[in-house]
Amino acid sequence: MSALRTAAPPVTAERGSATWRLTKAESMLCIRDKVGPLWGIGFPLVLLIILGAVPDLREPVEATGGDLTYFDLYVPVLILFNLAILATASLPTTLAGYRENGVLRRMRTTPVGPARVLTAQLVANFAIAAVAMVLFVAVAGLGFGVDLPKHLLGFALAWLLAAAALLAIGLLITALAPGRGPATAIGTVLFFPMMFFAGLWVPISQMPPLLQNIAHYTPLGAGMGAFQDAYLGHFPSAVPLLTLAAYAMVCTFVAVRWFRWE
């Protein structure tokens, strides 16, 4: 028994080291793939700079009591844009491609196992999302005078729940799509309506009442509502937070239940 106890820590440490190396490898592959960095960070960052140069977007939004301008609202929208790209394009197409090419099946015969590949991909995409969020907030603040969210704790919680919900949706797409092509198609179909309800084209406050009600219960619409509360100095209300938590839990459960390794 003492010999077994002595041998256990090195095995655990070796597995942890393997997971860390795999995470670094998957992170490098995510960067080389360019979907997350280019479309998830580069494109919305350029769009942020362009929108910041439009004087009309400096007008206050009446629905926020005049505390926020249209440009202020576009900052969280672009943060959600980043999460949506990762969830509908980067994560599912990569993992579905691994399944299609037999990578996940072959990983099942190794000590590392395919579950660590999923973990590494989730960590890599989460890291990209965190870098993007900090970058967008910093550029908006330093370049265009946009204040930080007045309730930082509420904003951080809202972002974590939004990231969890969107990455869970990405896992669900991966579970349902048999290959890279179908994963790309499903992600594309989901991306545009989700971004519409986040307020990319029309602010949620200016939508018809029916669309506003629908937006509040979509993942990006709920995220936008929670972000707006935090920017106004309030802790996000329960409805958007619970909505995001529900998406995270339900999509993760379904993805794990129906996930196919080959």
Side-chain angles (χ1 to χ4, degrees), residues 153-244:
L153 178 61
F155 178 81
L157 177 61
W159 183 84
L160 287 172
L161 286 175
L166 268 296
L167 291 177
I169 290 173
L171 280 182
L172 180 58
I173 296 172
T174 303
L176 298 177
R180 190 181 183 95
T184 301
I186 295 172
T188 302
V189 169
L190 287 178
F191 175 78
F192 290 101
M194 285 201 304
M195 287 310 307
F196 172 80
F197 286 115
L200 179 61
W201 293 281
V202 180
I204 296 176
S205 60
Q206 295 184 2
M207 292 179 182
L210 176 61
L211 294 182
Q212 288 187 36
N213 292 332
I214 294 174
H216 294 326
Y217 295 98
T218 64
L220 297 191
M224 187 60 190
F227 285 166
Q228 184 172 320
D229 285 344
Y231 267 92
L232 291 172
H234 313 302
F235 189 81
S237 59
V239 172
L241 295 183
L242 291 175
T243 300
L244 291 171

Side-chain angles (χ1 to χ4, degrees), residues 70-93:
Y70 287 101
F71 181 66
D72 292 336
L73 293 179
Y74 268 112
V75 177
V77 168
L78 293 176
I79 291 173
L80 292 170
F81 183 101
N82 166 260
L83 291 173
I85 283 289
L86 296 177
T88 62
S90 179
L91 179 66
T93 54

Side-chain angles (χ1 to χ4, degrees), residues 97-108 114 117 261:
Y98 284 175
R99 181 197 293 125
E100 189 176 58
N101 295 329
V103 174
L104 297 182
R105 174 175 52 81
R106 292 194 295 271
M107 290 294 288
R108 296 185 74 178
V117 177
W261 299 108

Side-chain angles (χ1 to χ4, degrees), residues 11-29 112-113 115-117 119-121 123-124 127:
V11 172
T12 303
E14 183 178 347
R15 288 178 178 175
S17 178
T19 302
W20 172 243
R21 290 196 300 270
L22 184 59
T23 300
K24 290 196 296 182
E26 291 296 325
S27 299
M28 292 302 300
L29 289 174
V112 174
R116 285 189 172 84
V117 177
T119 301
Q121 270 290 318
V123 171

